[in-house]
């Protein structure tokens, strides 16, 4: 039987990034993204203290011990950027820029909310190009 190791049980996973600050970085960019014709989904939170499997919440007040946040940004024509940031300093970043340009982007070694904001600007620019989004 396979045994899952939960992130909170792993002593190697540190709390590197303040996820509330990272969400503030997203919020600071939303108006600019919307002005560039992008659609921004609600930020989702995952609660490490919740029973497995953890449900994604959109209300921060429902999350006691956040271990990740996520956001989906979409734009024409059918381009998409999905970012899930983990408090340990890495992110899962998937994108579709066009039918011939899709995949994952490097996202490790993120050591602060400011570093996340810088990476986020780069990812958005990579996927959506010059739409005055950064």
């Amino acid at each position: 039987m396979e045994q899952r190791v939960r992130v909170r049980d792993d002593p190697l996973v540190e709390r590197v990034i303040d996820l509330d600050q990272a969400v503030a970085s997203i919020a600071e960019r939303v108006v600019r993204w919307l002005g560039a014709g992008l659609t921004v989904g609600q930020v989702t939170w995952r609660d490490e203290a919740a029973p497995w499997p953890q449900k994604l919440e959109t209300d921060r007040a429902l999350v006691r011990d956040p271990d990740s946040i996520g956001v989906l940004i979409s734009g024409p024509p059918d381009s998409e950027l999905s970012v899930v940031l983990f408090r340990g300093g890495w992110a899962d970043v998937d994108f579709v820029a066009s039918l011939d340009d899709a995949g994952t982007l490097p996202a490790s070694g993120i050591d602060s909310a400011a570093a996340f904001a810088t990476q986020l600007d780069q990812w958005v620019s990579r996927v959506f190009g010059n739409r005055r989004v950064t």
Side-chain angles (χ1 to χ4, degrees), residues 80-84 90-98 100-108 119 122-124 126-127:
E80 218 171 60
L81 174 65
S82 170
V83 177
V84 178
W90 69 91
D92 292 339
V93 182
D94 299 307
F95 76 98
V96 177
S98 69
D100 300 324
D101 186 13
T104 61
L105 297 171
S108 62
Q119 286 287 99
Q122 292 171 358
W123 297 327
V124 167
R126 162 65 177 88
V127 174

Side-chain angles (χ1 to χ4, degrees), residues 6 20 36 45 55 63 65 86 100 103 114 124:
R6 294 182 56 138
D20 289 297
W45 296 82
K55 165 179 144 172
V63 178
D65 185 19
F86 296 88
D100 300 324
V124 167

